[in-house]
Amino acid sequence: MTIPPTNENASRLPHEEQRIVSELSTNSNEPDSFFAVSKMSSLLPNLDSRLETTTLLFDSTLCICRWYASWRKFVNTPPGAAAPRPGPIDNSDIIETDPYLGRPSLAKEKAYVLVTQLVWKTLLEWYSGGPPIPRTFIYLYLSDSRDDDGDDHNEVSDIRLPKEASVRELYDMVCAKTVVSLEKAHIRDYYDMRKGQFLDPLSNKSLEESGLVTNQDILLEVDERGLAGLVNLGNTCYMNSAVQCLAHTPPIHEYFLRDHTHQGELSKAFGKLLTELWSSGTNYVVPRVFKTKVDKAAPQFTGHYQHDSHELLVALLTGLHQDSDIVNVFQGQCKSSLVCPVCGETANTYEPFTSLSLPLPSTPTWSISLLSCLDEYLAQEPLGPDNMWLCPQCKEQRQANKKLDLWKLPEILVFQLKRFKTSKYFVKKIDTFVDFPVDELDLSKYVEKGESCLYELYAVSNHDGGIGLGHYTAYAKMIDDDNEWYCYDDSLVSPVHESEIVSSAAYLLFYRKRVGSDMDLS
């Protein structure tokens, strides 16, 4: 819509209007009060990017729609060219689309631009129309507790929201600005740089109703529990790797972080260690007391020599089992069958396990799969001539065939990839790449009843390097976030992409049952 120019309008050239509005914006002394003006338009598809560089708007704030687009086209008309003067201001559309005034489906910068009160009064005097939509803002200064290095000059970020905006909208803006998930973000009232109460992320109260005032500080605290490393006490990387895998085992984590008293010394020390590892804001823990309790329970680990993370895991589970049944989540059963090669008589026994030690080919092999290793472990093989079996049917010593089957699968299933081959004179490491599934390990075909047996990987104990000069690390998935993996390298903790989890350094694989999968097969 256009209007015929009056004498007053006709005498005011487009570039003069632009100059006047620009000066009024720059000289405004009301930085927190604005008026909304509709800006949606198909006439100027690049309007948003052009607004970022214009001097028209105070503090680059947005708020006027279709009408503003036509006015911008008018005042930017090159000399000698002609563009229609816009009609009265029409803000009726943004009353419906503004997320703070009505429908929350459109972001505010998509619907309008913001102008100062002086600019609004001037435009309204020139063009009439409306309705007026005042917008009053709160300016907040955001500090991030993760940047606290003891310096009084930590960087702060500016946050600006309408006073009517909710606390939840404040959380959304802060999380987007700091790339932190809503579940891990906690915002405090930080008025006068003093820690006040936390703001409820689900609250629909306005910022003003929540007691926030303009130009005050707020503090972001990020829940970083589970991201603490373990200090190497001298060749104790094997222990650190195994402990981190256990610390991220859901039932172990849940049990030992409960508020109850553990009886044994090892269990008490382990529970205290897990509490420290899962304390928010902890960067690393020195496991000195825990190491002394391990040495007492399993003297073979005394001192500061290189050891095996699998041996430590087995010893630790054994020690913890003396005080608690929680380690039963690791316990499964294999059915061991001996078959007479003459009469076919079969004898079955049931052997418990807390981990399955899978053989790797000793000859150079580029790549194999985890399931092929499991097939080899379960394969039928004859007993040696020095291990003959008395067949109850034949009443004779027979070189029976032995066959293993999975009988009862545990909630937590651990595979050891047997990378260390020991002979009389030397120990050799096998660096064969084993391809193992991360999201879904299906063991249904290995059980007799054919139940669904699905597992997902959540931790890996890695061994890099050779014998004597190797180093243990761990990969673990955050318990409360299925998409976040981290590398635990003694006291150092860093994010790792899921694509890096499967490597030739993998030594212990920790799987947990999928929800709804049938585990008890007996």
Side-chain angles (χ1 to χ4, degrees), residues 24 43 60-61 76 86 120 125 144 175 181 188 203 232 245 248-249 266 290 297 312 321 346 443 511:
L24 291 175
L43 297 175
S60 302
T61 313
N76 283 305
W120 169 256
E125 181 182 336
D144 192 331
C175 289
S181 65
R188 281 185 186 272
S203 174
N232 193 319
C245 292
H248 289 81
T249 299
L266 183 61
F290 174 72
L312 186 282
H321 188 56
T346 302
L443 298 179
Y511 283 90

Side-chain angles (χ1 to χ4, degrees), residues 335 337 348 350 405-407 443-451 521:
K335 182 178 76 172
S337 303
N348 296 326
Y350 298 88
D405 291 291
L406 299 178
W407 182 252
L443 298 179
S444 303
K445 72 174 185 178
Y446 292 95
V447 295
E448 294 183 355
K449 298 181 182 180
E451 287 92 343
L521 310 173

Side-chain angles (χ1 to χ4, degrees), residues 94-138:
I94 61 173
I95 294 177
E96 297 178 351
T97 59
D98 184 309
Y100 303 115
L101 299 175
R103 274 178 16 208
S105 57
L106 291 179
K108 61 181 182 301
E109 58 266 20
K110 300 293 185 184
Y112 56 76
V113 293
L114 294 175
V115 297
T116 64
Q117 291 191 53
L118 286 176
V119 170
W120 169 256
K121 290 178 180 178
T122 301
L123 292 175
L124 191 63
E125 181 182 336
W126 289 347
Y127 291 96
S128 72
I133 306 176
R135 309 295 286 145
T136 305
F137 285 79
I138 286 181

Side-chain angles (χ1 to χ4, degrees), residues 245-257:
C245 292
L246 285 178
H248 289 81
T249 299
I252 296 294
H253 167 271
E254 180 182 355
Y255 177 79
F256 280 96
L257 266 62

Side-chain angles (χ1 to χ4, degrees), residues 104-248:
S105 57
L106 291 179
K108 61 181 182 301
E109 58 266 20
K110 300 293 185 184
Y112 56 76
V113 293
L114 294 175
V115 297
T116 64
Q117 291 191 53
L118 286 176
V119 170
W120 169 256
K121 290 178 180 178
T122 301
L123 292 175
L124 191 63
E125 181 182 336
W126 289 347
Y127 291 96
S128 72
I133 306 176
R135 309 295 286 145
T136 305
F137 285 79
I138 286 181
Y139 289 80
L140 303 171
Y141 301 106
L142 173 68
S143 296
D144 192 331
S145 63
R146 297 173 298 176
D147 297 334
D148 188 4
D149 54 5
D151 191 341
D152 292 334
H153 304 287
N154 292 325
E155 183 177 348
V156 297
S157 302
D158 294 336
I159 298 291
R160 181 183 59 218
L161 281 170
K163 288 182 179 179
E164 312 90 78
S166 68
V167 174
R168 175 57 189 267
E169 289 167 323
L170 171 64
Y171 266 89
D172 290 341
M173 176 174 284
V174 169
C175 289
K177 193 179 190 71
T178 58
V179 197
V180 172
S181 65
L182 181 62
E183 294 76 13
K184 294 185 177 182
H186 304 280
I187 301 176
R188 281 185 186 272
D189 187 327
Y190 201 40
Y191 184 82
D192 202 21
M193 306 297 281
R194 296 179 180 178
K195 289 185 178 181
Q197 65 181 2
F198 283 113
L199 302 175
D200 182 2
L202 302 180
S203 174
N204 288 320
K205 283 186 176 180
S206 71
L207 302 182
E208 203 168 28
E209 291 171 337
S210 300
L212 297 180
V213 296
T214 195
N215 294 327
Q216 82 153 79
D217 292 275
I218 56 175
L219 178 66
L220 171 66
E221 295 183 359
V222 180
D223 188 351
E224 295 183 312
R225 292 178 297 174
L227 296 180
L230 287 166
V231 172
N232 193 319
L233 304 177
N235 288 327
T236 57
C237 57
Y238 69 93
M239 180 184 76
N240 294 346
S241 175
V243 167
Q244 290 287 11
C245 292
L246 285 178
H248 289 81

Side-chain angles (χ1 to χ4, degrees), residues 261-282:
T261 303
H262 305 289
Q263 299 300 319
E265 291 186 16
L266 183 61
S267 293
K268 288 180 180 179
F270 183 70
K272 183 177 180 181
L273 181 61
L274 259 62
T275 299
E276 292 175 334
L277 285 174
W278 283 90
S279 296
S280 182
T282 301

